[in-house]
Amino acid sequence: MLKMFDYYRICRTKKFHLFSVLSFALIIFIITFSDSLLSNLSSSHSVAFVSKTSLQQPLKSTFVQRPLFTKKKESNHDAYIIKEEEEEVEDHVNLVPPFNLTEEQRISWFKKKLPEFIILKSSRLSRQFNSRVNKFLISRSCRVQFFMTWISPANSFGRREFFALETLFKSHPKGCLIILSRTLDTPRGARILRPLTQLGYKVLAATPELSFLFNSTPVESWFDDLKNGKKDPGEIPLAQNLSNLIRLAVLYKYGGVYLDTDFIILKDFSRLRNSIGAQSVSANGNWTRLNNAVLIFDKKHPLLYKFMEEFAFTFDGNKWGQNGPYLVSRVVERLMTSTEKNQFNFTVLPPIAFYPVDWIRVTGFFMKFNTRTHLRWVEAKLLQLSGETYGVHLWNKQSSSMKIEQGSIIGRLISDHCLLCKDIYSS
């Protein structure tokens, strides 16, 4: 049965003192008033798209190929690491087709490039994926099992991403995390994750076997056509759309929680089941858009199957969000008016759960304010987040260029929920 939490409902009891009611009303007023001011400040710093039309435009790759580091003298081991990183960079760049090609030209380009798309190939490590994952989950007695994907080069897994891991384990010390990544399933990846593994936290980077993940699912034929050069990958980087699909398949095979790497986790997820978060709601409290940056589902949940069916039937690599956030919104919206809706048991959580700040305003969460009004807003917002928020999505595409300023909301959240807490304000 589909349930929708009312984002605007505030439960009160008759035993509240008048002072408590007035204090709470003052907090809400501060948040509402300052959010309005903040939207103007944030928009002046934001690098986000600002129109609905522009959201439909294909994303251009922002990956810049640059020297990873320089050394005066290289050992044989250093040379091996540099070569490994260069191959990662090449693989990442090769996933992005040239712009302004026709569909026929792009398919032709894709066929020629197929041998270079390492992520589509099987390897010794990828063929061990299922056995490694099962062994890891069974032997660790995980209270909650989390999954992330990382298709980018290992050297681009930075402090922001590491904060997501720190806050995840701060809230879930007995949880397990599997990162589906070829580039982190390497000696360099092991060094990146070592600060956590040395402390006993359960994290594994595993090279995914996509043929196994997609086997016996609605996307199996789609993936076969892609590997055989029969599908137009579109102008959107293929890595982005593969990530959208991998998260659905891994939850369908194993169950658990999928998380994007641009989250700050605030609270234990263990009581959540079969849930998806609303990104936005209307004035009457009904959701207007869902998002796939967090997915919490049991193994072989029928909604995941529906999502994969939609991916295979409506795939379009030229429209941003078509195969991700818009996909889950389309499917759930249809289910709400379908005779099938009673066959599905899931919950749509309100924006405060995972998306308490909109992507247009998120840059304001990184900024330090000095006025008394804004300082009150920061304290009121932190109080609000401590209540119903499980995690804060950072919308990296909009906020990655923003420095975390000391005293900002994001700085305060990371400081309160990190494990190692290194270099918070230099990231």
Side-chain angles (χ1 to χ4, degrees), residues 3 40 71 101 110 113 124 128 145 160 171 187 208-209 224 226 234 241 256 284 292 332 355 366-367 379 383 411 427:
K3 294 175 282 184
N40 295 326
K71 282 183 177 289
L101 298 183
F110 187 57
K113 286 287 185 179
R124 178 186 60 82
Q128 298 172 5
Q145 53 194 49
R160 294 277 180 93
S171 299
E209 175 75 11
D224 287 341
L226 182 75
N241 282 317
N284 61 9
N292 66 338
V332 174
Y355 311 101
F366 289 77
M367 298 158 59
E379 296 301 328
L383 180 61
S427 63

Side-chain angles (χ1 to χ4, degrees), residues 143-162:
R143 186 177 179 190
V144 184
Q145 53 194 49
F146 291 90
F147 297 92
M148 292 178 174
T149 63
W150 189 257
I151 300 178
S152 301
N155 71 299
S156 62
F157 194 93
R159 289 300 306 158
R160 294 277 180 93
E161 289 75 25
F162 200 82

Side-chain angles (χ1 to χ4, degrees), residues 350-420:
I352 192 66
F354 300 116
Y355 311 101
V357 60
D358 190 78
W359 57 272
I360 295 175
R361 299 182 179 186
V362 72
T363 53
F365 269 40
F366 289 77
M367 298 158 59
K368 177 183 178 180
F369 298 104
N370 295 316
T371 68
R372 184 173 297 178
T373 298
H374 280 108
L375 290 174
R376 285 201 198 104
W377 171 79
V378 168
E379 296 301 328
K381 183 62 75 173
L382 288 169
L383 180 61
Q384 182 191 38
L385 295 175
S386 69
E388 303 170 75
T389 301
Y390 288 89
V392 179
H393 192 214
L394 301 185
W395 305 102
N396 255 3
K397 185 159 284 295
Q398 282 70 44
S399 68
S400 60
S401 63
M402 293 291 296
K403 182 178 169 36
I404 300 174
E405 297 181 1
Q406 196 160 3
S408 65
I409 288 177
I410 296 302
R412 294 274 298 275
L413 289 176
I414 293 175
S415 296
D416 290 343
H417 295 87
C418 57
L419 288 169
L420 305 174

Side-chain angles (χ1 to χ4, degrees), residues 83-238:
K83 184 177 186 300
E84 180 184 75
E85 290 171 348
E86 287 174 348
E87 288 173 353
E88 288 177 6
V89 171
E90 281 302 312
D91 188 38
H92 185 79
V93 172
N94 286 338
L95 288 171
V96 184
F99 289 101
N100 301 320
L101 298 183
T102 65
E103 180 177 339
E104 184 178 344
Q105 289 172 330
R106 200 160 42 240
I107 291 175
S108 176
W109 168 87
F110 187 57
K111 284 180 179 179
K112 292 177 183 176
K113 286 287 185 179
L114 270 172
E116 301 175 31
F117 282 64
I118 300 174
I119 192 172
L120 304 180
K121 298 178 181 180
S122 288
S123 66
R124 178 186 60 82
L125 270 178
S126 71
R127 287 190 289 272
Q128 298 172 5
F129 175 76
N130 185 44
S131 61
R132 292 175 71 195
V133 168
N134 282 325
K135 181 179 178 181
F136 179 78
L137 295 177
I138 293 170
S139 64
R140 300 305 193 278
S141 301
C142 311
R143 186 177 179 190
V144 184
Q145 53 194 49
F146 291 90
F147 297 92
M148 292 178 174
T149 63
W150 189 257
I151 300 178
S152 301
N155 71 299
S156 62
F157 194 93
R159 289 300 306 158
R160 294 277 180 93
E161 289 75 25
F162 200 82
F163 287 143
L165 309 193
E166 286 191 46
T167 58
L168 185 154
F169 284 113
K170 181 70 175 287
S171 299
H172 305 84
K174 295 184 179 179
C176 296
L177 170 63
I178 297 174
I179 306 174
L180 283 73
S181 174
R182 182 185 65 83
T183 60
L184 290 178
D185 192 8
T186 58
R188 181 182 179 90
R191 291 195 298 275
I192 290 171
L193 301 175
R194 188 172 296 150
L196 293 174
T197 56
Q198 284 182 332
L199 292 174
Y201 293 104
K202 301 169 238 184
V203 55
L204 170 72
T207 303
E209 175 75 11
L210 299 190
S211 295
F212 163 76
L213 283 173
F214 303 150
N215 183 45
S216 300
T217 74
V219 296
E220 184 175 11
S221 296
W222 177 89
F223 185 62
D224 287 341
D225 287 344
L226 182 75
K227 287 194 301 180
N228 293 324
K230 297 178 182 178
K231 282 285 180 188
D232 175 14
E235 292 184 347
I236 304 295
L238 182 58

